[in-house]
Amino acid sequence: MGFDVTRFKGEVDEELVCPICSGVLEDPLQAPSCEHAFCRACIQEWISRQPTCPVDRQTITSAQLRPVPRILRNLLSRLCITCDNASYGCNANIKLDSLAAHLAECEHNPKRPIPCDQGCGLIIPMDELKDHNCVREMRSLIHSQQQKMTDYQQELADQRFQINELKRELRLVKDFMRAMKISNPAMRSLANEMERDEVVRWSNSLTRARVTRWGGMISTPDDILQAMIKRSLSESGCPSHIVNDLMENCHERSWPPGLSSLETRQNNRRQYENYICKRIPGKQAVVVLPCDNPHINEDMMIEPGLVMIFAHGIE
């Protein structure tokens, strides 16, 4: 809809008035052939009911409408108009093309957001300040935040349920593959390949680690420490079919010949410094997997991999 003609200083040329709403053109568009100009909102609403020019009834469609010439836009921009907030005390007369910028900063704008000076500090429209109650608004805000928290918790619970269902289905598939691997020799190769791929995917999800103090290695971890590392392995997505074997390989009694004693470890220091290690999340521990270390000698590696725990010295 156009601007009320009475808001303008002096007379307004009839060429700048919308034939539909009789207001001064607002965001105008022009018919293609007859070149009659209308407010954008007015002509689009008109065409939605009847696709003709309101002045001479020539057929037009919304797609045929085009911007008015620059000279018409310039004439409109030079018109002086009173502020929308004149009834609230604003006496400004501004050029039409500056109206939007003025309204954004007009101190008489009843919807201008201002901070509450009664204590709560909430930002509220100026015309709502007289009815503003800090206690009521803060209670409403707290209730709204509590409701959002409840919704988030429910959404999280639903996602956890879905994840657990997917994990259950995955365990069923793995159990089935293991059963087929035992009962059907033809499936054994496929099952082994799937398990290897699963280990590779898990390894790729871990962050590569650099051991800076091999002397901090704990070669005989106690049961409590082993339980902590095992839990971290499981939480990191370690394939269930290798978790127990990896944990068995966290103690020097199960390490390969090249690591089986302090003496051999000292002799082979240069070799195990070449391990590609992946960090066990949240712990001073690494996992060394054959899929990451094809360059390591057989006497320094063991299936399905090594878990090495350190008192310190992992980056």
Side-chain angles (χ1 to χ4, degrees):
M1 302 296 288
F3 300 98
D4 188 343
V5 175
T6 60
R7 291 179 58 187
F8 291 85
K9 186 177 181 180
E11 292 188 8
V12 177
D13 192 292
E14 63 178 11
E15 294 296 327
L16 306 180
V17 175
C18 174
I20 300 175
C21 70
S22 299
V24 174
L25 292 167
E26 180 177 7
D27 193 13
L29 293 174
Q30 189 178 63
S33 55
C34 61
E35 298 185 348
H36 291 122
F38 313 91
C39 300
R40 179 184 295 270
C42 293
I43 190 60
Q44 288 183 340
E45 181 182 354
W46 178 283
I47 289 177
S48 68
R49 297 196 303 266
Q50 48 185 325
T52 59
C53 173
V55 178
D56 56 21
R57 303 302 176 181
Q58 291 190 46
T59 301
I60 55 173
T61 65
S62 180
Q64 292 175 322
L65 296 172
R66 62 174 186 245
V68 297
R70 180 182 297 178
I71 187 172
L72 187 57
R73 294 198 302 272
N74 290 341
L75 290 173
L76 284 168
S77 68
R78 292 170 187 161
L79 294 177
C80 288
I81 187 171
T82 59
C83 176
D84 291 11
N85 303 315
S87 60
Y88 296 100
C90 182
N91 297 318
N93 280 279
I94 57 268
K95 294 292 181 65
L96 186 58
D97 62 348
S98 302
L99 179 62
H102 169 78
L103 291 176
E105 300 177 356
C106 180
E107 62 181 13
H108 298 280
N109 181 2
K111 294 299 181 183
R112 183 166 62 92
I114 59 174
C116 170
D117 59 0
Q118 300 175 34
C120 70
L122 292 177
I123 305 299
I124 54 177
M126 185 170 63
D127 63 346
E128 297 179 15
L129 186 60
K130 62 181 182 299
D131 298 320
H132 175 68
N133 183 295
C134 293
V135 175
R136 183 183 65 234
E137 294 298 331
M138 292 303 293
R139 283 177 176 171
S140 176
L141 180 61
I142 291 172
H143 176 74
S144 174
Q145 294 301 318
Q146 288 175 335
Q147 184 59 49
K148 287 183 180 180
M149 182 62 69
T150 300
D151 293 342
Y152 289 149
Q153 289 174 342
Q154 182 59 49
E155 183 179 351
L156 183 60
D158 293 341
Q159 291 178 348
R160 284 175 175 168
F161 176 78
Q162 294 176 8
I163 290 172
N164 289 334
E165 285 296 297
L166 291 172
K167 287 182 177 179
R168 185 182 65 82
E169 293 176 5
L170 182 59
R171 284 195 298 269
L172 290 175
V173 172
K174 289 179 179 178
D175 291 342
F176 172 75
M177 293 301 298
R178 291 193 190 97
M180 291 297 293
K181 179 180 176 181
I182 295 172
S183 62
N184 187 347
M187 292 292 294
R188 191 168 302 159
S189 175
L190 176 60
N192 288 336
E193 183 177 350
M194 291 179 64
E195 289 180 349
R196 284 194 298 270
D197 289 345
E198 188 178 5
V199 173
V200 171
R201 284 194 296 272
W202 171 61
S203 175
N204 290 337
S205 72
L206 300 177
T207 303
R208 184 164 177 174
R210 186 171 73 93
V211 179
T212 59
R213 294 191 179 182
W214 288 96
M217 187 189 306
I218 302 174
S219 58
T220 56
D222 59 29
D223 292 342
I224 296 177
L225 183 54
Q226 290 188 49
M228 292 172 56
I229 299 300
K230 183 176 181 179
R231 183 164 57 251
S232 294
L233 279 175
S234 298
E235 291 174 352
S236 72
C238 178
S240 57
H241 67 277
I242 67 169
V243 171
N244 290 333
D245 290 337
L246 283 177
M247 290 311 303
E248 182 65 26
N249 294 347
C250 76
H251 196 287
E252 68 175 4
R253 63 173 174 263
S254 300
W255 284 353
L259 297 173
S260 59
S261 68
L262 179 59
E263 182 180 357
T264 56
R265 287 196 291 275
Q266 290 175 340
N267 292 335
N268 293 321
R269 177 73 175 264
R270 288 185 177 277
Q271 292 192 51
Y272 63 69
E273 284 181 345
N274 290 323
Y275 280 147
I276 292 178
C277 307
K278 298 296 181 65
R279 185 162 194 163
I280 298 176
K283 304 298 177 185
Q284 282 283 314
V286 299
V287 61
V288 183
L289 299 169
C291 61
D292 295 325
N293 292 276
H295 58 287
I296 298 297
N297 295 338
E298 292 183 2
D299 64 340
M300 298 291 294
M301 187 55 65
I302 192 172
E303 289 288 346
L306 291 166
V307 169
M308 308 179 82
I309 306 171
F310 295 83
H312 46 70
I314 295 181
E315 294 180 351

